[in-house]
Amino acid sequence: MTDAAASKPSPSRPARVGESGLPIKPVYGPGDLAGWTPASQLGEPGSYPYTRGVYPTMYTGRPWTMRQYAGFGTAAESNRRYHQLIEAGTAGLSVAFDLPTQMGYDSDAPIAHGEVGKVGVAIDSIEDMRLLFDGIPLDQVSTSMTINAPAAVLLLLYQLVGEEHGVDPGRLSGTIQNDVLKEYIARGTYIYPPKASLRLVSDIFAYCQAELARFNTISISGYHMAEAGATPAQEIAFTLANGIEYVQAAIDAGLDVDEFAPRLSFFFVARTTLLEEVAKFRAARRIWAQVMRDRFGARNPKSQMLRFHTQTAGVQLTAQQPEVNLVRVAVQGLAAVLGGTQSLHTNAYDEAIALPSEKAARLALRTQQVLAYETDVTATVDPFAGSYAVESMTDAVEEAARALMETVEDLGGAVAAIEKGYQKAEIEQAAYQIARDIDGGERVVVGVNKYVVPDDERYEPLRVDPTIEEAQRGRLAKLRADRDADEVRGCLAELRSAASGSDNVLYPMKRALAARATVGEVCDALREVWGVYTPADAI
């Protein structure tokens, strides 16, 4: 047998199955694109249906925004890390908040005990926000904040600090995640019932349209669903279904689609399965463009563009042989770039063990810089266009995602499906299958179930100072003693009144925060009016 014959795939060889359960053929050819029309399914870069990217030149003019997700301990500690990242060349900050802040509790709340500053920075009031951004030019950096249920509170604190820096609100740029629907599906940091949460999202849309024109009002997230086990098809299907729910809620609140839709953004994961991930990103753009144009009548091209941030897959990082994660992150980052992301966070190799060390965070950023400046992936737009394999995979992922979206619609939309537990159950089943495949050796994880090293070298992770909680409690006590208590009570009463009616709650919320009401007090005021959501509330 010749070498050529030996290397030729056997027609009987079974196809490999991708992350979405779709077959990946050993060889693709013209027959896999029968009936495929480049004009309608691709278009030009920067033109409908945006399969090839949302901008005509993509990275040939300038690279994507390089963000690094950081935040731990106190605001002062996180501020030092931000300065280090800026000095290392990062173009955008991405803030991680601790669990009490994400849930709208102050650091001295009993429920916050043991969690203050652990998985992100503790922000209790405007004083913490001042420290967090001390010395950072807010008119020159773009800041992404991973915050959902209390997103309005943190956004307004950011605006207040920007105004103290002398920055016109119209010049502040960044993104708030503000995607509470995925919290009910995959993550759990929700506060209010879904309908109240959607009302708050709509108020944020309207407020930013009037006051913060450059801020992206929501980052509709598939990342956390993917981290919980969602397949690529599930990730984009459930994310876009949530996006449809948000758009409909805003329209029902009286907003014009072409006024708020250009500020919508999305957030996806990038896995090591490079080809399927590229196909996923391209399919998501095409679906969203069609939904916005044909379902919602959006005519502004920016309303039809699916702009997204990407983070490499934390769930694929391993504590075993952590240095191997450097390779995984590089492949994942490449997948995001070839898929046309607008901004990217590359995980540090040690994040499966603890919060990243300074060196690991710098190496993660350097990974992006190598991709941008040492490879040729920025030299041309959408280099996979016309690929038999990638175009076929794009069509397959799109078809699978649309089928899932139709099921969500048949159940009454994203909120109704959430209340029935549909998305959560589908993701849990996918996660279970992944775990079985890893345990059975069908899915190889280097260093875990193959190529294992008996004794890994000892690694010293970054430790969070256990005295942070005590220090935050002291800061809160001093804040409450120094502020005008009557003014705070009056502002919170105004907030409750707005929440009880139909006024936009962000205006009285901003006045309360400026008077030094705390994050927990503001969220508690809304809890009093709207209540809280528990899984038992689901149908």
Side-chain angles (χ1 to χ4, degrees):
M1 183 182 292
T2 66
D3 290 343
S7 63
K8 185 177 181 180
S10 167
S12 61
R13 179 184 172 188
R16 178 174 168 179
V17 176
E19 295 281 314
S20 295
L22 304 170
I24 302 176
K25 297 172 62 175
V27 176
Y28 288 85
D32 293 294
L33 296 181
W36 184 79
T37 54
S40 62
Q41 290 172 279
L42 282 183
E44 295 298 323
S47 299
Y48 185 91
Y50 304 103
T51 311
R52 303 198 63 190
V54 293
Y55 303 125
T57 58
M58 288 303 290
Y59 313 132
T60 60
R62 64 181 180 86
W64 58 94
T65 299
M66 299 179 194
R67 295 193 187 278
Q68 288 306 109
Y69 186 49
F72 61 95
T74 66
E77 286 180 289
S78 294
N79 176 263
R80 285 192 289 273
R81 176 63 61 86
Y82 294 157
H83 280 284
Q84 291 165 358
L85 288 170
I86 290 171
E87 289 167 8
T90 191
L93 301 176
S94 186
V95 184
F97 298 96
D98 72 356
L99 281 175
T101 304
Q102 293 180 48
M103 296 295 292
Y105 292 111
D106 291 331
S107 295
D108 60 357
I111 198 171
H113 179 61
E115 292 293 341
V116 176
K118 288 291 179 66
V119 299
V121 62
I123 299 294
D124 291 317
S125 72
I126 190 171
E127 295 186 354
D128 289 326
M129 198 63 121
R130 286 177 187 137
L131 284 173
L132 186 63
F133 291 103
D134 183 46
I136 293 175
L138 298 186
D139 56 344
Q140 298 175 33
V141 300
S142 172
T143 302
S144 173
M145 292 185 279
T146 303
I147 195 74
N148 294 282
V153 183
L154 277 301
L155 173 67
L156 292 172
L157 288 173
Y158 187 79
Q159 180 186 353
L160 286 165
V161 170
E163 290 172 350
E164 291 177 356
H165 288 193
V167 179
D168 185 287
R171 295 182 64 192
L172 293 171
S173 65
T175 304
I176 46 172
Q177 193 161 101
N178 191 28
D179 175 15
V180 75
L181 291 183
K182 66 94 174 52
E183 298 294 327
Y184 303 112
I185 294 172
R187 196 159 173 268
T189 62
Y190 44 74
I191 299 176
Y192 318 111
K195 288 183 180 178
S197 295
L198 285 175
R199 184 266 178 89
L200 186 54
V201 169
S202 297
D203 280 359
I204 291 170
F205 287 178
Y207 181 86
C208 287
Q209 183 179 319
E211 308 291 339
L212 296 164
R214 293 181 62 190
F215 234 86
N216 294 318
T217 53
I218 193 169
S219 179
I220 307 164
S221 175
Y223 180 87
H224 302 93
M225 289 187 266
E227 291 286 280
T231 68
Q234 289 174 339
E235 178 192 356
I236 62 171
F238 298 152
T239 303
L240 299 186
N242 286 350
I244 289 169
E245 194 84 32
Y246 291 127
V247 172
Q248 189 61 59
I251 291 172
D252 291 345
L255 303 180
D256 180 82
V257 65
D258 282 323
E259 291 293 331
F260 68 84
R263 304 314 305 171
L264 303 179
S265 66
F266 291 80
F267 177 23
F268 295 117
V269 78
R271 301 171 180 82
T272 52
T273 45
L274 187 148
L275 295 180
E276 189 174 5
E277 290 299 284
V278 171
K280 176 192 77 178
F281 295 130
R282 300 168 88 249
R285 277 194 295 269
R286 196 153 69 200
I287 296 171
W288 187 247
Q290 185 268 324
V291 166
M292 292 303 292
R293 186 190 70 174
D294 298 345
R295 175 168 177 165
F296 293 113
R299 293 293 170 258
N300 184 344
K302 291 183 178 180
S303 301
Q304 302 169 4
M305 295 178 184
L306 184 142
R307 297 172 302 113
F308 64 94
H309 169 70
T310 308
Q311 182 172 338
T312 55
V315 74
Q316 291 187 321
L317 301 182
T318 64
Q320 300 92 331
Q321 302 180 46
E323 293 83 358
V324 178
N325 293 329
L326 287 165
V327 181
R328 293 187 178 102
V329 169
V331 173
Q332 294 163 356
L334 181 60
V337 171
L338 291 172
T341 192
Q342 276 57 73
S343 64
L344 176 62
H345 164 79
T346 36
N347 289 324
Y349 74 90
D350 55 359
E351 287 187 50
I353 303 169
L355 292 171
S357 62
E358 179 184 343
K359 180 180 180 181
R362 185 172 62 246
L363 281 171
L365 177 60
R366 293 289 183 254
T367 302
Q368 295 199 51
Q369 292 165 337
V370 168
L371 289 174
Y373 301 113
E374 293 191 21
T375 75
D376 58 1
V377 295
T378 60
T380 187
V381 178
D382 189 26
F384 277 129
S387 159
Y388 297 134
V390 171
E391 296 297 358
S392 181
M393 292 170 74
T394 300
D395 290 349
V397 172
E398 178 182 1
E399 182 179 359
R402 285 187 182 275
L404 289 165
M405 292 172 70
E406 287 177 10
T407 300
V408 172
E409 285 293 307
D410 291 343
L411 291 170
V415 169
I418 287 168
E419 291 175 339
K420 293 178 174 67
Y422 169 68
Q423 300 98 319
K424 192 171 186 291
E426 289 291 303
I427 292 170
E428 287 173 350
Q429 179 59 39
Y432 175 68
Q433 187 60 52
I434 291 171
R436 288 193 60 181
D437 289 348
I438 293 172
D439 289 344
E442 297 169 18
R443 179 188 293 256
V444 173
V445 181
V446 174
V448 175
N449 63 2
K450 199 168 186 179
Y451 311 114
V452 178
V453 175
D455 296 308
D456 281 344
E457 295 180 9
R458 182 173 177 80
Y459 175 80
E460 285 297 327
L462 178 70
R463 303 292 184 187
V464 175
D465 186 346
T467 66
I468 286 170
E469 183 174 334
E470 182 180 350
Q472 284 296 113
R473 293 171 70 93
R475 286 172 57 80
L476 279 166
K478 185 176 186 304
L479 173 103
R480 293 191 176 106
D482 292 346
R483 70 189 183 183
D484 186 329
D486 289 336
E487 182 184 9
V488 172
R489 278 193 292 270
C491 290
L492 292 174
E494 288 181 26
L495 175 59
R496 284 190 290 269
S497 177
S500 299
S502 58
D503 291 346
N504 191 312
V505 298
L506 271 76
Y507 292 95
M509 188 183 291
K510 184 185 178 189
R511 288 192 289 273
L513 293 166
R516 297 198 288 173
T518 68
V519 171
E521 289 165 345
V522 168
C523 291
D524 283 345
L526 295 180
R527 285 184 179 98
E528 291 176 30
V529 178
W530 292 339
V532 296
Y533 178 83
T534 64
D537 295 328
I539 295 173

